[in-house]
Amino acid sequence: MNNPTNDFRPIPEEDDLVDGPFLPDRQRERPFIMVVTRNGHLSEHVMDYAVNVAHRLSYSILAVHVDTLPFFKDRGKRSRLFAAAMQESAALFGAKADDKGVVVAHLGELGKIGSVVSRLCRSKKRIEFIVIDKGIRLEEVVRQSPVPVFPVLTNKQGLFNRTIFHHSTKKGVFAMSTTSRKRHLKHCFLFGALTAGLYASVFAYQDVVMTYFTKGGVFALLPVATVFAVSYFHGNFTSAFWSALGIEASKKGVAKRTEPAIEIKETVVAPRPDTRPRLQVNA
Amino acid sequence: MHGPINEVIQFIDLNVYTITFLFLVGFIGGLVSGFIGSGGAFVLTPGMMSLGVPGTVAVASNMCHKFPKALVGAIKRYKYGQVDIKLGLIMGVFAEIGVQVGIMVQKYILDKWGQAGSNLYVSIIFVLVLVTVGSFVMRDAIKMKRSKTETETGATLAKRLQKIELWPMITLKTANLRISMWFLVPVAIATGMLAATIAVGGFIGVPGLMYIVGVTSIVASATELVIAFVMGLGGTLIWAYYGMVDIRLVMIILAGSLFGVQLGAIGTTYVKDYMIKYVMATIMLIVAVSRFFALPKYLNELHLVSLNETAVSVMTKMSFAIMCFALLVGASIILASLFKARRLEKMVSVNA
């Protein structure tokens, strides 16, 4: 577990850490909701869910960031980024919890999700249930956990959907989850070269290309396939190009895009008239 | 479009001037279509023809450049959560039908009144549609700007139509509404017909989506890209089947327009909603003026009026120049508002 070049140090797992110095005395006896993530940043919808439930049940939250690749071979860069991301995530989570008066304890762990969960559940007695973040397999946790496990599903899930809407004012710390300019530059050169190659090959063999591409019939697929290739390579190149220049989408604009949801009004159903015959007694 | 091609097609030789021209027009056209969902195409066809490209090849190559551009733009704007794919695909399929209907109408007019009659028909449709729809959109944009509300106003017609429960009802998640298929189809067919007639279906498609279906202008312009992709792909397959696509022209235009479309899509995340309407209406109205100047030429050819040659040729040139001007104005509004909004956002984040 010890990596000398690693800035990220897991907090030693002693019982008193979670319900010890982190929490004021009156909180000591509260049960916990354990929120587990293997990402640097915990998804915001998971945070919101956990905070709301904890608020309603008056539980505390134990947020665990598990670095599942502590020995990743990049001279400790990933771990450093993970630690930085975790700090940021913890700050955001803390702010959200403060609004509702919920207590959150943060924990950094190393190793496999399953074993971390199993160890924590056994050492911290009052974990009532576990909420897992995107990227963790449910079975992996369920197998090792003595308490119920819930994933948070949202309609905002998907390949291109962000899990963090929070806009950081500090530059650079967000490197764990968002792309850096260096990566854009790399993409820019890679796809730029591919695009240049494609264009060069078409224009160098103009005559051959034009004879076959304009033959018609089945050959119609040739130009169509070519433009699809162009749209992939050149599309990625141009996208990386503007990003590398620093021209990117507004962070505020992304969140607001549709009209606020229309409230569904429940129709009030009048009670059915009682049509059963009644016996009237006239005394 | 389906007729046999009798004459041997001449593909032009490329030189530095042609390449630069196509690249620049591609870039500006891409910028505009990334922003308002369509546009740019109406300058490319006459532009290519003025370079000596035969009409059919110009139309085919234009069509072939349109769908990859729309695809890239749609993907980019999908990442921003602005695209309703379901709406786009449904509209796209029906727009394709509209395209076929549009072509039939064109053919009928061509048979009856000849080439000049067909050109006159195209120009009249151009002026009529652009002036009516453009001024309506412009009025709405100005109203929105004055009232300074963040959300979209108006669209009372759309609200009323959404309330009508007619089978089959369609629920659109991103657009956040539920409407009967019967109201989508006419909009889609009109879009397709306009696309077949003047090459820019979006001038009906986007306002149709905004005022009849009731989608916000951001989602409408993004979804229009999906419609343009479906229509463009269908059209390209047909044109390529007859061997009319000049891949070199297409690739040069694409080289510019993909830069533009990315920038245009980025621009939509910065500006207020009315800005899209504003840019769109401005371009539509200026293009309408441009087509107005093209009318005398066709009227002359049909011997409905008699003007002398020089006047007609000056007017034709002016018409093209005004068309380019329309695109330039649109592009500069987009760029100006993009960079202004970026500066503002930076200032805010520095102060915060």
Side-chain angles (χ1 to χ4, degrees), chain B residues 105-130:
Chain B
V105 173
Q106 284 267 55
K107 258 191 188 153
Y108 174 77
I109 287 168
L110 190 67
D111 289 344
K112 199 146 193 201
W113 288 291
Q115 190 60 49
S118 161
N119 286 341
L120 185 66
Y121 161 72
V122 169
S123 291
I124 288 175
I125 294 282
F126 238 118
V127 174
L128 272 184
V129 170
L130 296 194

PDB file of all heavy atoms in Angstrom, chain B residues 105-130:
ATOM      1  N   VAL B 105     -43.154  18.618 -57.925  1.00  0.00           N
ATOM      2  CA  VAL B 105     -43.711  19.933 -58.246  1.00  0.00           C
ATOM      3  C   VAL B 105     -42.781  20.666 -59.210  1.00  0.00           C
ATOM      4  O   VAL B 105     -43.206  21.235 -60.224  1.00  0.00           O
ATOM      5  CB  VAL B 105     -43.919  20.761 -56.949  1.00  0.00           C
ATOM      6  CG1 VAL B 105     -44.324  22.186 -57.290  1.00  0.00           C
ATOM      7  CG2 VAL B 105     -44.961  20.102 -56.069  1.00  0.00           C
ATOM      8  N   GLN B 106     -41.493  20.615 -58.899  1.00  0.00           N
ATOM      9  CA  GLN B 106     -40.487  21.267 -59.740  1.00  0.00           C
ATOM     10  C   GLN B 106     -40.558  20.742 -61.169  1.00  0.00           C
ATOM     11  O   GLN B 106     -40.512  21.505 -62.132  1.00  0.00           O
ATOM     12  CB  GLN B 106     -39.085  20.964 -59.207  1.00  0.00           C
ATOM     13  CG  GLN B 106     -38.714  21.741 -57.989  1.00  0.00           C
ATOM     14  CD  GLN B 106     -37.983  23.000 -58.368  1.00  0.00           C
ATOM     15  OE1 GLN B 106     -38.481  23.788 -59.148  1.00  0.00           O
ATOM     16  NE2 GLN B 106     -36.813  23.179 -57.807  1.00  0.00           N
ATOM     17  N   LYS B 107     -40.665  19.419 -61.277  1.00  0.00           N
ATOM     18  CA  LYS B 107     -40.686  18.794 -62.605  1.00  0.00           C
ATOM     19  C   LYS B 107     -41.898  19.247 -63.396  1.00  0.00           C
ATOM     20  O   LYS B 107     -41.815  19.546 -64.587  1.00  0.00           O
ATOM     21  CB  LYS B 107     -40.721  17.266 -62.442  1.00  0.00           C
ATOM     22  CG  LYS B 107     -39.372  16.633 -62.664  1.00  0.00           C
ATOM     23  CD  LYS B 107     -39.532  15.146 -62.767  1.00  0.00           C
ATOM     24  CE  LYS B 107     -38.188  14.481 -62.790  1.00  0.00           C
ATOM     25  NZ  LYS B 107     -38.265  13.122 -62.271  1.00  0.00           N
ATOM     26  N   TYR B 108     -43.031  19.305 -62.673  1.00  0.00           N
ATOM     27  CA  TYR B 108     -44.265  19.704 -63.324  1.00  0.00           C
ATOM     28  C   TYR B 108     -44.130  21.120 -63.884  1.00  0.00           C
ATOM     29  O   TYR B 108     -44.482  21.390 -65.035  1.00  0.00           O
ATOM     30  CB  TYR B 108     -45.405  19.621 -62.302  1.00  0.00           C
ATOM     31  CG  TYR B 108     -46.718  20.155 -62.809  1.00  0.00           C
ATOM     32  CD1 TYR B 108     -47.501  19.398 -63.684  1.00  0.00           C
ATOM     33  CD2 TYR B 108     -47.182  21.405 -62.409  1.00  0.00           C
ATOM     34  CE1 TYR B 108     -48.697  19.891 -64.157  1.00  0.00           C
ATOM     35  CE2 TYR B 108     -48.376  21.901 -62.872  1.00  0.00           C
ATOM     36  CZ  TYR B 108     -49.142  21.142 -63.751  1.00  0.00           C
ATOM     37  OH  TYR B 108     -50.324  21.627 -64.209  1.00  0.00           O
ATOM     38  N   ILE B 109     -43.554  21.984 -63.065  1.00  0.00           N
ATOM     39  CA  ILE B 109     -43.395  23.380 -63.492  1.00  0.00           C
ATOM     40  C   ILE B 109     -42.393  23.476 -64.633  1.00  0.00           C
ATOM     41  O   ILE B 109     -42.580  24.228 -65.598  1.00  0.00           O
ATOM     42  CB  ILE B 109     -42.991  24.244 -62.286  1.00  0.00           C
ATOM     43  CG1 ILE B 109     -44.214  24.412 -61.392  1.00  0.00           C
ATOM     44  CG2 ILE B 109     -42.465  25.596 -62.726  1.00  0.00           C
ATOM     45  CD1 ILE B 109     -43.926  24.990 -60.061  1.00  0.00           C
ATOM     46  N   LEU B 110     -41.352  22.673 -64.552  1.00  0.00           N
ATOM     47  CA  LEU B 110     -40.329  22.679 -65.597  1.00  0.00           C
ATOM     48  C   LEU B 110     -40.936  22.252 -66.935  1.00  0.00           C
ATOM     49  O   LEU B 110     -40.664  22.833 -67.985  1.00  0.00           O
ATOM     50  CB  LEU B 110     -39.192  21.728 -65.197  1.00  0.00           C
ATOM     51  CG  LEU B 110     -37.935  21.781 -66.046  1.00  0.00           C
ATOM     52  CD1 LEU B 110     -37.247  23.117 -65.868  1.00  0.00           C
ATOM     53  CD2 LEU B 110     -36.990  20.660 -65.666  1.00  0.00           C
ATOM     54  N   ASP B 111     -41.804  21.212 -66.884  1.00  0.00           N
ATOM     55  CA  ASP B 111     -42.434  20.736 -68.118  1.00  0.00           C
ATOM     56  C   ASP B 111     -43.372  21.791 -68.702  1.00  0.00           C
ATOM     57  O   ASP B 111     -43.486  21.955 -69.907  1.00  0.00           O
ATOM     58  CB  ASP B 111     -43.232  19.446 -67.839  1.00  0.00           C
ATOM     59  CG  ASP B 111     -42.303  18.283 -67.569  1.00  0.00           C
ATOM     60  OD1 ASP B 111     -41.105  18.423 -67.900  1.00  0.00           O
ATOM     61  OD2 ASP B 111     -42.752  17.261 -67.014  1.00  0.00           O
ATOM     62  N   LYS B 112     -44.057  22.499 -67.804  1.00  0.00           N
ATOM     63  CA  LYS B 112     -45.095  23.395 -68.276  1.00  0.00           C
ATOM     64  C   LYS B 112     -44.528  24.735 -68.757  1.00  0.00           C
ATOM     65  O   LYS B 112     -44.915  25.244 -69.789  1.00  0.00           O
ATOM     66  CB  LYS B 112     -46.106  23.624 -67.147  1.00  0.00           C
ATOM     67  CG  LYS B 112     -47.424  24.140 -67.666  1.00  0.00           C
ATOM     68  CD  LYS B 112     -48.581  23.617 -66.862  1.00  0.00           C
ATOM     69  CE  LYS B 112     -49.876  23.880 -67.603  1.00  0.00           C
ATOM     70  NZ  LYS B 112     -51.026  23.865 -66.702  1.00  0.00           N
ATOM     71  N   TRP B 113     -43.603  25.314 -67.976  1.00  0.00           N
ATOM     72  CA  TRP B 113     -43.134  26.658 -68.300  1.00  0.00           C
ATOM     73  C   TRP B 113     -41.655  26.739 -68.682  1.00  0.00           C
ATOM     74  O   TRP B 113     -41.121  27.811 -68.842  1.00  0.00           O
ATOM     75  CB  TRP B 113     -43.406  27.602 -67.130  1.00  0.00           C
ATOM     76  CG  TRP B 113     -44.868  27.919 -66.982  1.00  0.00           C
ATOM     77  CD1 TRP B 113     -45.614  28.673 -67.838  1.00  0.00           C
ATOM     78  CD2 TRP B 113     -45.745  27.503 -65.941  1.00  0.00           C
ATOM     79  NE1 TRP B 113     -46.909  28.749 -67.399  1.00  0.00           N
ATOM     80  CE2 TRP B 113     -47.026  28.040 -66.233  1.00  0.00           C
ATOM     81  CE3 TRP B 113     -45.602  26.718 -64.802  1.00  0.00           C
ATOM     82  CZ2 TRP B 113     -48.134  27.812 -65.414  1.00  0.00           C
ATOM     83  CZ3 TRP B 113     -46.695  26.510 -63.997  1.00  0.00           C
ATOM     84  CH2 TRP B 113     -47.951  27.049 -64.298  1.00  0.00           C
ATOM     85  N   GLY B 114     -40.964  25.627 -68.666  1.00  0.00           N
ATOM     86  CA  GLY B 114     -39.553  25.639 -69.063  1.00  0.00           C
ATOM     87  C   GLY B 114     -38.635  26.092 -67.954  1.00  0.00           C
ATOM     88  O   GLY B 114     -39.068  26.357 -66.821  1.00  0.00           O
ATOM     89  N   GLN B 115     -37.354  26.229 -68.288  1.00  0.00           N
ATOM     90  CA  GLN B 115     -36.331  26.536 -67.294  1.00  0.00           C
ATOM     91  C   GLN B 115     -36.570  27.879 -66.610  1.00  0.00           C
ATOM     92  O   GLN B 115     -36.485  27.991 -65.399  1.00  0.00           O
ATOM     93  CB  GLN B 115     -34.955  26.519 -67.969  1.00  0.00           C
ATOM     94  CG  GLN B 115     -33.788  26.579 -66.996  1.00  0.00           C
ATOM     95  CD  GLN B 115     -33.800  25.400 -66.026  1.00  0.00           C
ATOM     96  OE1 GLN B 115     -33.934  24.247 -66.440  1.00  0.00           O
ATOM     97  NE2 GLN B 115     -33.697  25.675 -64.740  1.00  0.00           N
ATOM     98  N   ALA B 116     -36.892  28.893 -67.436  1.00  0.00           N
ATOM     99  CA  ALA B 116     -37.080  30.230 -66.867  1.00  0.00           C
ATOM    100  C   ALA B 116     -38.256  30.234 -65.906  1.00  0.00           C
ATOM    101  O   ALA B 116     -38.197  30.832 -64.826  1.00  0.00           O
ATOM    102  CB  ALA B 116     -37.308  31.241 -67.982  1.00  0.00           C
ATOM    103  N   GLY B 117     -39.322  29.532 -66.270  1.00  0.00           N
ATOM    104  CA  GLY B 117     -40.496  29.452 -65.404  1.00  0.00           C
ATOM    105  C   GLY B 117     -40.142  28.795 -64.088  1.00  0.00           C
ATOM    106  O   GLY B 117     -40.554  29.238 -63.007  1.00  0.00           O
ATOM    107  N   SER B 118     -39.339  27.740 -64.177  1.00  0.00           N
ATOM    108  CA  SER B 118     -38.934  27.033 -62.974  1.00  0.00           C
ATOM    109  C   SER B 118     -38.095  27.942 -62.077  1.00  0.00           C
ATOM    110  O   SER B 118     -38.300  28.003 -60.858  1.00  0.00           O
ATOM    111  CB  SER B 118     -38.146  25.791 -63.387  1.00  0.00           C
ATOM    112  OG  SER B 118     -37.390  25.326 -62.327  1.00  0.00           O
ATOM    113  N   ASN B 119     -37.169  28.689 -62.700  1.00  0.00           N
ATOM    114  CA  ASN B 119     -36.344  29.613 -61.920  1.00  0.00           C
ATOM    115  C   ASN B 119     -37.187  30.684 -61.254  1.00  0.00           C
ATOM    116  O   ASN B 119     -36.949  31.051 -60.100  1.00  0.00           O
ATOM    117  CB  ASN B 119     -35.313  30.291 -62.829  1.00  0.00           C
ATOM    118  CG  ASN B 119     -34.201  29.347 -63.196  1.00  0.00           C
ATOM    119  OD1 ASN B 119     -33.999  28.331 -62.526  1.00  0.00           O
ATOM    120  ND2 ASN B 119     -33.492  29.644 -64.266  1.00  0.00           N
ATOM    121  N   LEU B 120     -38.185  31.162 -62.021  1.00  0.00           N
ATOM    122  CA  LEU B 120     -39.062  32.191 -61.476  1.00  0.00           C
ATOM    123  C   LEU B 120     -39.822  31.649 -60.274  1.00  0.00           C
ATOM    124  O   LEU B 120     -39.936  32.303 -59.231  1.00  0.00           O
ATOM    125  CB  LEU B 120     -40.041  32.657 -62.555  1.00  0.00           C
ATOM    126  CG  LEU B 120     -40.948  33.813 -62.163  1.00  0.00           C
ATOM    127  CD1 LEU B 120     -40.128  35.066 -61.947  1.00  0.00           C
ATOM    128  CD2 LEU B 120     -42.010  34.052 -63.224  1.00  0.00           C
ATOM    129  N   TYR B 121     -40.317  30.417 -60.427  1.00  0.00           N
ATOM    130  CA  TYR B 121     -41.050  29.762 -59.339  1.00  0.00           C
ATOM    131  C   TYR B 121     -40.178  29.677 -58.092  1.00  0.00           C
ATOM    132  O   TYR B 121     -40.599  30.037 -56.986  1.00  0.00           O
ATOM    133  CB  TYR B 121     -41.498  28.378 -59.809  1.00  0.00           C
ATOM    134  CG  TYR B 121     -41.847  27.417 -58.711  1.00  0.00           C
ATOM    135  CD1 TYR B 121     -43.020  27.564 -57.965  1.00  0.00           C
ATOM    136  CD2 TYR B 121     -41.018  26.335 -58.423  1.00  0.00           C
ATOM    137  CE1 TYR B 121     -43.339  26.671 -56.968  1.00  0.00           C
ATOM    138  CE2 TYR B 121     -41.338  25.434 -57.429  1.00  0.00           C
ATOM    139  CZ  TYR B 121     -42.492  25.608 -56.696  1.00  0.00           C
ATOM    140  OH  TYR B 121     -42.809  24.733 -55.708  1.00  0.00           O
ATOM    141  N   VAL B 122     -38.907  29.233 -58.288  1.00  0.00           N
ATOM    142  CA  VAL B 122     -37.989  29.107 -57.157  1.00  0.00           C
ATOM    143  C   VAL B 122     -37.797  30.460 -56.481  1.00  0.00           C
ATOM    144  O   VAL B 122     -37.875  30.585 -55.255  1.00  0.00           O
ATOM    145  CB  VAL B 122     -36.633  28.530 -57.624  1.00  0.00           C
ATOM    146  CG1 VAL B 122     -35.597  28.644 -56.523  1.00  0.00           C
ATOM    147  CG2 VAL B 122     -36.796  27.093 -58.059  1.00  0.00           C
ATOM    148  N   SER B 123     -37.592  31.499 -57.313  1.00  0.00           N
ATOM    149  CA  SER B 123     -37.330  32.809 -56.728  1.00  0.00           C
ATOM    150  C   SER B 123     -38.541  33.356 -55.991  1.00  0.00           C
ATOM    151  O   SER B 123     -38.415  33.972 -54.935  1.00  0.00           O
ATOM    152  CB  SER B 123     -36.922  33.793 -57.825  1.00  0.00           C
ATOM    153  OG  SER B 123     -35.659  33.436 -58.301  1.00  0.00           O
ATOM    154  N   ILE B 124     -39.731  33.119 -56.579  1.00  0.00           N
ATOM    155  CA  ILE B 124     -40.934  33.631 -55.912  1.00  0.00           C
ATOM    156  C   ILE B 124     -41.142  32.939 -54.570  1.00  0.00           C
ATOM    157  O   ILE B 124     -41.447  33.575 -53.561  1.00  0.00           O
ATOM    158  CB  ILE B 124     -42.168  33.479 -56.833  1.00  0.00           C
ATOM    159  CG1 ILE B 124     -42.066  34.490 -57.977  1.00  0.00           C
ATOM    160  CG2 ILE B 124     -43.458  33.702 -56.051  1.00  0.00           C
ATOM    161  CD1 ILE B 124     -43.150  34.360 -59.008  1.00  0.00           C
ATOM    162  N   ILE B 125     -40.924  31.608 -54.564  1.00  0.00           N
ATOM    163  CA  ILE B 125     -41.045  30.871 -53.305  1.00  0.00           C
ATOM    164  C   ILE B 125     -40.050  31.433 -52.291  1.00  0.00           C
ATOM    165  O   ILE B 125     -40.373  31.678 -51.118  1.00  0.00           O
ATOM    166  CB  ILE B 125     -40.756  29.364 -53.520  1.00  0.00           C
ATOM    167  CG1 ILE B 125     -41.823  28.740 -54.405  1.00  0.00           C
ATOM    168  CG2 ILE B 125     -40.665  28.630 -52.186  1.00  0.00           C
ATOM    169  CD1 ILE B 125     -43.113  28.442 -53.713  1.00  0.00           C
ATOM    170  N   PHE B 126     -38.820  31.639 -52.768  1.00  0.00           N
ATOM    171  CA  PHE B 126     -37.764  32.209 -51.940  1.00  0.00           C
ATOM    172  C   PHE B 126     -38.258  33.482 -51.257  1.00  0.00           C
ATOM    173  O   PHE B 126     -38.264  33.601 -50.034  1.00  0.00           O
ATOM    174  CB  PHE B 126     -36.575  32.594 -52.853  1.00  0.00           C
ATOM    175  CG  PHE B 126     -35.285  31.920 -52.496  1.00  0.00           C
ATOM    176  CD1 PHE B 126     -34.663  31.076 -53.403  1.00  0.00           C
ATOM    177  CD2 PHE B 126     -34.672  32.155 -51.278  1.00  0.00           C
ATOM    178  CE1 PHE B 126     -33.463  30.464 -53.095  1.00  0.00           C
ATOM    179  CE2 PHE B 126     -33.471  31.551 -50.972  1.00  0.00           C
ATOM    180  CZ  PHE B 126     -32.868  30.705 -51.878  1.00  0.00           C
ATOM    181  N   VAL B 127     -38.700  34.447 -52.088  1.00  0.00           N
ATOM    182  CA  VAL B 127     -39.072  35.749 -51.556  1.00  0.00           C
ATOM    183  C   VAL B 127     -40.268  35.631 -50.620  1.00  0.00           C
ATOM    184  O   VAL B 127     -40.262  36.165 -49.500  1.00  0.00           O
ATOM    185  CB  VAL B 127     -39.370  36.730 -52.707  1.00  0.00           C
ATOM    186  CG1 VAL B 127     -39.901  38.044 -52.158  1.00  0.00           C
ATOM    187  CG2 VAL B 127     -38.115  36.969 -53.525  1.00  0.00           C
ATOM    188  N   LEU B 128     -41.290  34.870 -51.058  1.00  0.00           N
ATOM    189  CA  LEU B 128     -42.510  34.746 -50.256  1.00  0.00           C
ATOM    190  C   LEU B 128     -42.211  34.150 -48.889  1.00  0.00           C
ATOM    191  O   LEU B 128     -42.546  34.723 -47.850  1.00  0.00           O
ATOM    192  CB  LEU B 128     -43.522  33.858 -50.990  1.00  0.00           C
ATOM    193  CG  LEU B 128     -44.462  34.549 -51.962  1.00  0.00           C
ATOM    194  CD1 LEU B 128     -45.446  33.539 -52.516  1.00  0.00           C
ATOM    195  CD2 LEU B 128     -45.204  35.675 -51.242  1.00  0.00           C
ATOM    196  N   VAL B 129     -41.558  32.970 -48.905  1.00  0.00           N
ATOM    197  CA  VAL B 129     -41.319  32.255 -47.648  1.00  0.00           C
ATOM    198  C   VAL B 129     -40.411  33.072 -46.737  1.00  0.00           C
ATOM    199  O   VAL B 129     -40.698  33.261 -45.552  1.00  0.00           O
ATOM    200  CB  VAL B 129     -40.693  30.872 -47.930  1.00  0.00           C
ATOM    201  CG1 VAL B 129     -40.212  30.241 -46.633  1.00  0.00           C
ATOM    202  CG2 VAL B 129     -41.691  29.972 -48.609  1.00  0.00           C
ATOM    203  N   LEU B 130     -39.330  33.586 -47.322  1.00  0.00           N
ATOM    204  CA  LEU B 130     -38.364  34.268 -46.476  1.00  0.00           C
ATOM    205  C   LEU B 130     -38.934  35.546 -45.875  1.00  0.00           C
ATOM    206  O   LEU B 130     -38.701  35.835 -44.707  1.00  0.00           O
ATOM    207  CB  LEU B 130     -37.082  34.563 -47.255  1.00  0.00           C
ATOM    208  CG  LEU B 130     -36.315  33.330 -47.725  1.00  0.00           C
ATOM    209  CD1 LEU B 130     -34.927  33.712 -48.162  1.00  0.00           C
ATOM    210  CD2 LEU B 130     -36.239  32.279 -46.648  1.00  0.00           C
TER     211      LEU B 130
END
